[in-house]
Amino acid sequence: MSDLASLLGPLAGPECRRLTRRGWLFLVRTLLGAACTGVVLVACWLWWLLERLDASFRPGASFGIALGICAAMPVTLALLLCPAVLAGVLAGEKDRGTLALLLAARVTALEIVLARLASRLAQVVMILLAGLPAVVLLAMLSGLGGAAIGVLVLLPFAVALGGSGMALAASALSRRGRDALLAVYLLDLLFLIAPLFSAVSGFLPLAERLGALNPYRGLSRIIQGDAWGGAESIALWTLLGVAGTGLAAWRLRPAYLRQIGGTARRRDARRGRVPAVGDRPVLWKELYIERAAAMGRFGRLLGWLIVLLLLGAAGSLAFLIAWHRWVYPNPTEELWAAGLLETLVQSATTPVSWLLQWAIGLRAAVGIASERERATWDGLLLTPLEGTEIMWAKIWGSLYALRGLFLAALIAWALAVLLGALELTSFLSWLLHVLVIGFFMAAVGSWISLTAPSATRAMAITIGIWLGAIVVMATIATIVVLFGALIVMLVWLSAVRLGLAAMAGGPPVPVSFGTAWNATYLVLYLASGLLIAFMCRFRFDRFAGRTPSRAATGGPPPTQGRDEGPAQK
């Protein structure tokens, strides 16, 4: 550790020793390794089965799909976990009042930032290494060259470094960890939709290069044999990590001194629009005192930029479609605009849905944990407010903060449906996914916020549950739908044997496999969210620490004092 201390400072060694022994690391590593191993086994089983059915079968396409799945899992973990574990480290020190002690000690701001970076990045690297053997094996079976395999291995680590640097910079500049994390996720959303800029490459010469910020685009190019496309993504994400770390070290001390000195400007005009407290004081506090819509200056700028991009692009293309359809008919131009609008909507569906789910869950996760860190939670519990009122106020504050992005996406998708660029079923599916999974994340975030000791840990656990829920719900939905299909098949075969149905017609299928799977998937999320919400409602006092234990009161159990007679007393 002496070499590490001389390179990164005296804080890096103790931080790495303390954080790399956490039990959840081994659990997540095991889950990632098991998932990648399962994909390899399924690919090999399909190879064996299809080769028996067709001697000329070649498994290249099957291994390519399996490689894409296994390689995408570490990239997704790096994209989500690094900001989750790093966005609150410096902002949390500000809330707890311990950053002043660190800045007054004999360590530089760079050593503080590097210690946080090394310790948290070591956790993520330990997790990513669990999926490396499966990725290398599938890459070799797919016939990739040595350069492509090397770039494929380095890509998730570069994404982890880039996300960590951006999270540290946002944490150093923000007042709250949740605002820093949401700002980083907004940047991630911009990177994921960056390939759409290639459509306007004639107006923006760097548009094609900006598309390399999407790590999944670089991943797909590597699998297709283009190692240079992945190397470009690695270079950009590494540059982001180095620049973010340098910015965090440079602005940590000035930003903190400005924040504690009260020199930050506030909009006094906002106070004139604040209504009276009314009958819901906690909701009033969330909307106006906590400034639920504020994510810092940089976060607000990113949020407005995404809203303007969605509305501007969708509105412009919708105008072109309407103009060339009704005003100045031109089928070629209309078809081009409709195809571009469809590409925009389909490409932005998943990133926007993810961002809304993350934001709802993260704001619910820090709603109570941040109150506990600021030592205001005990005062809130001393009020006669019910737990249900406090919880719903926190959840509604989380939803209210994302109203602009949700409305922008809703308008863009509705325009695509009205002009025929998007099917109504796809729009309804997107809307149901956002609402149902958003409710689930709000319930999970509130539950974790009640039990987690700090806002940083609450955010990391919430993102981890979001990742785990995707795998668990998808697996259970697949099993349920396959079991239902098996039952339908058995009933149909029994009816054929009894002469009640004809063999030529095939089994009756009321809905398709995709529709049944989506419905089961959403029902599982809804049931889980309702279960967690009811658990938080009925056990709020116990989770929050409002109900004292009998051992803490020091008195006898209630039944003992009630059943004793005067002689026994």
Side-chain angles (χ1 to χ4, degrees):
M1 287 296 178
S2 60
D3 296 335
L4 186 62
S6 62
L7 182 63
L8 302 178
L11 299 177
E15 285 281 330
C16 290
R17 285 194 298 268
R18 180 173 62 90
L19 294 178
T20 52
R21 297 175 182 175
R22 298 294 175 86
W24 67 270
L25 289 174
F26 300 98
L27 175 62
V28 178
R29 290 182 65 192
T30 303
L31 292 177
L32 178 60
C36 292
T37 304
V39 173
V40 173
L41 292 177
V42 169
C44 293
W45 177 75
L46 288 176
W47 179 19
W48 174 83
L49 179 63
L50 295 176
E51 193 178 25
R52 293 295 184 275
L53 297 176
D54 185 6
S56 62
F57 173 75
R58 295 295 179 266
S62 301
F63 283 135
I65 296 174
L67 177 60
I69 296 173
C70 284
M73 285 191 282
V75 171
T76 305
L77 285 173
L79 198 65
L80 297 180
L81 283 185
C82 286
V85 298
L86 273 165
V89 291
L90 298 177
E93 298 280 359
K94 299 175 187 177
D95 287 337
R96 293 189 294 270
T98 55
L99 185 59
L101 297 176
L102 283 174
L103 292 175
R106 292 185 177 180
V107 289
T108 63
L110 180 60
E111 290 174 343
I112 296 173
V113 171
L114 288 179
R116 300 297 187 267
L117 175 66
S119 58
R120 271 69 179 186
L121 196 57
Q123 292 180 323
V124 179
V125 168
M126 289 175 61
I127 296 173
L128 297 181
L129 289 175
L132 192 59
V135 172
V136 174
L137 176 62
L138 288 173
M140 295 175 63
L141 292 175
S142 300
L144 293 182
I149 294 176
V151 174
L152 188 65
V153 169
L154 291 177
L155 181 60
F157 298 100
V159 173
L161 178 60
S164 300
M166 292 189 300
L168 281 173
S171 185
L173 299 175
S174 301
R175 292 178 178 269
R176 297 178 181 177
R178 70 178 185 183
D179 300 340
L181 186 55
L182 285 177
V184 177
Y185 282 156
L186 285 171
L187 270 177
D188 288 340
L189 175 61
L190 283 176
F191 296 160
L192 291 177
I193 63 176
L196 294 176
F197 297 155
S198 59
V200 292
S201 57
F203 305 97
L204 189 63
L206 296 178
E208 188 65 26
R209 294 292 176 261
L210 291 176
L213 289 171
N214 187 337
Y216 299 104
R217 181 186 181 185
L219 183 64
S220 63
R221 288 189 172 184
I222 297 171
I223 295 175
Q224 294 172 2
D226 183 12
W228 170 247
E232 195 174 8
S233 297
I234 291 175
L236 288 176
W237 279 95
T238 304
L239 181 62
L240 284 174
V242 174
T245 305
L247 179 61
W250 175 44
R251 299 302 301 169
L252 176 62
R253 192 183 302 268
Y256 179 64
L257 293 177
R258 186 179 68 252
Q259 291 168 7
I260 64 175
T263 59
R265 297 181 179 178
R266 294 185 179 182
R267 296 183 180 179
D268 295 333
R270 183 182 176 88
R271 298 177 182 175
R273 299 194 299 269
V274 176
V277 177
D279 298 331
R280 298 180 179 180
V282 183
L283 181 60
W284 179 85
K285 171 178 174 294
E286 287 295 314
L287 297 183
Y288 301 107
I289 301 300
E290 294 291 334
R291 296 160 58 99
M295 294 182 291
R297 183 179 302 175
F298 186 65
R300 289 197 302 270
L301 178 62
L302 285 177
W304 279 110
L305 179 60
I306 293 176
V307 169
L308 290 177
L309 283 175
L310 285 176
L311 289 180
S316 301
L317 292 174
F319 174 78
L320 289 177
I321 294 173
W323 177 267
H324 292 298
R325 179 179 297 178
W326 293 300
V327 180
Y328 187 76
N330 190 336
T332 304
E333 296 294 333
E334 178 190 350
L335 185 62
W336 172 82
L340 193 57
L341 180 59
E342 182 179 2
T343 302
L344 169 68
V345 170
Q346 292 180 353
S347 301
T349 295
T350 300
V352 171
S353 301
W354 285 4
L355 179 63
L356 290 171
Q357 296 164 19
W358 298 339
I360 293 172
L362 291 172
R363 285 191 168 268
V366 301
I368 296 174
S370 59
E371 298 272 3
R372 193 180 292 113
E373 288 184 346
R374 296 195 302 266
T376 57
W377 180 238
D378 293 335
L380 192 59
L381 290 178
L382 291 175
T383 63
L385 297 171
E386 296 291 336
T388 305
E389 183 178 357
I390 297 175
M391 295 291 294
W392 279 113
K394 296 290 183 181
I395 293 175
W396 178 245
S398 304
L399 298 175
Y400 181 79
L402 274 298
R403 65 193 184 281
L405 180 60
F406 177 75
L407 289 177
L410 187 65
I411 293 173
W413 271 243
L415 286 175
V417 172
L418 291 176
L419 295 173
L422 182 68
E423 295 183 358
L424 180 61
T425 55
S426 301
F427 171 75
L428 294 177
S429 175
W430 171 82
L431 186 61
L432 286 175
H433 274 76
V434 171
L435 295 178
V436 173
I437 302 180
F439 169 74
F440 169 79
M441 290 302 298
V444 167
S446 302
W447 171 45
I448 298 301
S449 188
L450 278 171
T451 57
S454 64
T456 303
R457 184 172 297 182
M459 291 189 295
I461 294 175
T462 302
I463 292 298
I465 291 178
W466 179 83
L467 282 171
I470 292 178
V471 178
V472 173
M473 300 300 182
T475 304
I476 295 177
T478 303
I479 294 174
V480 170
V481 173
L482 290 178
F483 184 73
L486 179 62
I487 292 177
V488 170
M489 181 67 68
L490 292 177
V491 171
W492 174 71
L493 290 176
S494 301
V496 169
R497 177 167 295 184
L498 294 175
L500 301 177
M503 177 68 74
V509 180
V511 294
S512 63
F513 180 86
T515 303
W517 188 90
N518 275 320
T520 307
Y521 187 71
L522 292 177
V523 167
L524 289 173
Y525 267 108
L526 182 61
S528 302
L530 290 173
L531 180 63
I532 295 173
F534 281 118
M535 181 184 65
C536 292
R537 181 180 184 275
F538 290 109
R539 300 175 70 88
F540 174 84
D541 292 334
R542 189 171 188 179
F543 287 153
R546 179 182 276 177
T547 303
S549 62
R550 294 176 183 174
T553 58
T559 55
Q560 181 179 351
R562 185 177 64 250
D563 295 339
E564 285 179 345
Q568 293 174 332
K569 293 180 180 179

